[in-house]
């Protein structure tokens, strides 16, 4: 498989794809190795992850360079991703032992009866991953899964394979056995082969369409299926905000990572009384973004990682224009080598348009005027997705009242495009099932076992 730099179209490496036989061999090795890994004291597994963290720090710049080369992410943002990985790992280092400790839930001396819950690893799990934040979405799964005693068959996205192989190298050097964390390389075909093995769970990050296929493939075997999928995340801007500050923060939430984040702001609703002022401030902000060589430290907008996404973006703009939207800036691909799309702001949009209903996953955003809070809540909930949603207002009570009515896994007051290791990361509807992060996101890689203990 050729690895291409999406910013230039150049081939930068070639990797071997795992076919059916290789996948079977890797599965069998992982199955054989897992019990020994699970029997280690948890402290030893945590120590290996601590060493992995040290290697990430030591190789920071080289890892950022590879990530930028293979996904087209601006180098500063690649470095930020690696910097952001560290507090995530720290959370797991600190919280796992407590989250996985046996729990005593009853001690009845009169009946000489005790009840306990232990957290057993699931066994051998598949971690099928996305390319947009490979360190984040990967580590959300493999770090707690390994600490909990599982073996992990890790299939990085075909668009982030080199990064996936770096992750594997570092984990192995850190002391995780090669048969306990096993990279599996290839496209969806290899992912399909992985799902045909008798694994004990599949933890997937990617698109809704693929998520449905994964769930269907796993259904007959009744294994644990966790799906972290896409979003169409809304933000509502109330009339009481400082328009410039809100516009700058929300534009960053929409365009950071070139809009290729699951929790990018994808729809903006603005109270009609400040709509025009907000649009002016927002467009001025977006026009200031520097597009260009992703290896340049001052670049903010990078390449579109997957070439077919350019068609999605073009189709959404054309559909919106046909139905009456105005292009305030951008609206077109940028000619030349590689995959490039100009940062695009559409106004006069409504929910008949694809851009307000289907995940864009790129640097385009629609801004819609709303008359009041009730209309904003109705529009925010008019979606099949439910990953995140935000409200900008100076009034905390108003924000909480509105956010309580919004159907999504995470809600934000005066912020957006934010993930915390301490909070559960989950979605409703087409945004997925299950969760990662927080102590729930540690226990999710285990099977609770109930112990009924009576002394004779
Ligand atoms: P994708 O669905 O195209 O691919 C994801 C992974 O699935 C890849 O590793 C791919 O090779 C594999 N795959 C594809 N078909 C398969 C099949 N039939 N069987 C098994 N595996 C298969 O998604 P993508 O383009 O890598 O990622 C972008 C999507 O991910 C967006 O929708 C984004 O919103 C979502 N995402 C969600 C989160 C979250 O936390 N909710 C985080 C990041 C990205």
């Amino acid at each position: 498989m050729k690895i291409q730099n999406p910013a230039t179209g150049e081939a930068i490496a070639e990797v071997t794809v795992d076919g059916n036989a290789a996948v079977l061999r890797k599965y069998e090795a992982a199955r054989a190795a897992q019990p020994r890994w699970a029997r280690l004291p948890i402290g030893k597994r945590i120590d290996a992850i601590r060493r992995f963290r040290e290697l990430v720090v030591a190789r920071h710049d080289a890892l950022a360079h590879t990530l930028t080369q293979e996904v087209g992410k601006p180098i500063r943002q690649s470095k930020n991703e690696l910097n952001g990985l560290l507090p995530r790992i720290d959370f797991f280092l600190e919280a796992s032992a407590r989250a996985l400790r046996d729990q005593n839930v009853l001690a009845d001396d009169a009946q000489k009866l005790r009840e306990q819950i232990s957290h057993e690893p699931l066994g051998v799990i598949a971690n099928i991953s996305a390319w947009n934040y490979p360190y984040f979405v990967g580590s959300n799964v493999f770090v707690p899964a390994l600490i909990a005693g599982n073996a992990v068959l890790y299939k990085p996205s075909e668009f982030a394979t080199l990064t996936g192989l770096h992750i594997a190298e570092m984990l192995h050097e850190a002391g995780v056995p090669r048969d306990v964390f096993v990279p599996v390389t290839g496209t969806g075909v290899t992912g399909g082969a992985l799902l045909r093995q008798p694994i004990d769970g599949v933890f997937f990050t990617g698109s809704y369409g693929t998520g449905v296929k994964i769930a269907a493939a796993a259904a007959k075997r009744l294994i644990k299926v966790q799906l972290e999928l896409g979003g169409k995340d809304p933000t509502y801007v109330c009339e009481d905000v400082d328009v410039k500050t809100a516009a700058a923060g929300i534009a960053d939430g929409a365009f950071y990572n070139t809009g290729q984040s699951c929790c990018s702001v994808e729809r903006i609703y603005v109270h009609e009384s400040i709509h025009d002022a907000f649009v002016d401030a927002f467009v001025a902000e977006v026009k200031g973004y520097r597009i260009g060589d992703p290896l340049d430290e001052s670049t903010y907008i990078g390449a579109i990682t997957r070439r077919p996404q350019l068609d999605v973006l073009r189709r959404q703009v054309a559909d919106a224009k046909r139905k009456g939207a105005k292009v305030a800036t951008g609206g077109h691909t940028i000619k030349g080598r590689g995959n490039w799309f100009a940062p695009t702001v559409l106004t006069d949009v409504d929910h008949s348009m694809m851009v307000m209903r289907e995940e864009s996953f790129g640097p385009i955003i629609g801004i819609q005027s709303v008359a009041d809070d009730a209309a904003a809540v109705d529009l925010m909930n008019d979606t099949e997705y439910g990953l995140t949603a935000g409200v900008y207002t100076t009034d905390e009570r108003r924000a909480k009242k509105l956010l309580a009515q919004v159907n999504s896994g995470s809600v934000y007051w005066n912020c957006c495009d934010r993930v915390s290791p301490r909070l559960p990361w989950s979605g409703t509807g087409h945004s997925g099932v299950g969760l990662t992060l927080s102590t729930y996101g540690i226990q999710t890689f285990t099977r609770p076992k109930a112990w009924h203990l009576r002394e004779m």
Side-chain angles (χ1 to χ4, degrees), residues 128-133 137 140 155-159 186-193 195 204-211 213-214 227-231 260-263 306 359 361 385 387 425 431 436:
I128 300 179
S129 208
W131 48 265
N132 61 332
Y133 280 102
V137 297
N140 289 355
K155 200 198 86 59
S157 162
E158 57 272 40
F159 297 99
T187 63
V189 175
T190 303
L195 292 173
F204 171 76
T205 310
S207 60
Y208 165 73
T210 311
K213 288 185 200 160
I214 302 263
L227 307 171
E228 308 233 65
L229 309 178
Q260 300 172 111
S261 309
C262 54
C263 54
R306 293 177 58 254
E359 189 177 41
F361 220 59
Y385 290 102
L387 194 58
W425 185 247
S431 293
T436 50

Side-chain angles (χ1 to χ4, degrees), residues 388-447:
T388 81
V391 169
Y392 278 65
T393 168
T394 51
D395 181 346
E396 181 173 354
R397 278 179 53 181
R398 179 175 173 190
K400 284 185 169 164
K401 188 174 158 206
L402 297 176
L403 292 170
Q405 299 168 64
V406 174
N407 185 20
S408 67
S410 296
V411 290
Y412 303 122
W413 175 43
N414 293 338
C415 53
C416 54
D417 190 22
R418 181 177 191 280
V419 180
S420 162
R422 295 166 295 278
L423 294 172
W425 185 247
S426 69
T428 64
H430 288 193
S431 293
V433 290
L435 56 82
T436 50
L437 299 174
S438 79
T439 49
Y440 296 103
I442 299 169
Q443 291 170 344
T444 193
F445 299 99
T446 65
R447 182 172 51 80

Side-chain angles (χ1 to χ4, degrees), residues 70-130:
E70 74 176 332
V71 305
K73 191 191 289 268
I75 188 77
R76 284 213 70 77
Q77 298 176 17
S78 292
K79 290 180 181 173
N80 284 348
E81 182 173 345
L82 285 156
N83 296 338
L85 174 63
L86 304 180
R88 278 183 200 219
I89 296 178
D90 290 340
F91 169 76
F92 290 125
L93 293 177
E94 284 158 27
S96 295
R98 204 170 342 114
L100 298 175
R101 207 161 43 207
D102 292 354
Q103 262 175 279
N104 297 315
V105 290
L106 179 77
D108 183 334
D109 290 340
Q111 292 195 63
K112 294 188 175 173
L113 181 69
R114 279 172 297 129
E115 293 173 1
Q116 291 175 346
I117 303 170
S118 66
H119 299 95
E120 310 295 324
L122 296 171
V124 178
I125 64 152
N127 173 11
I128 300 179
S129 208

Side-chain angles (χ1 to χ4, degrees), residues 274-291:
I274 58 159
H275 173 266
D276 294 356
F278 180 87
V279 168
D280 288 348
F282 192 91
V283 170
E285 183 73 19
V286 173
K287 283 185 171 165
Y289 288 154
R290 211 181 152 110
I291 311 169

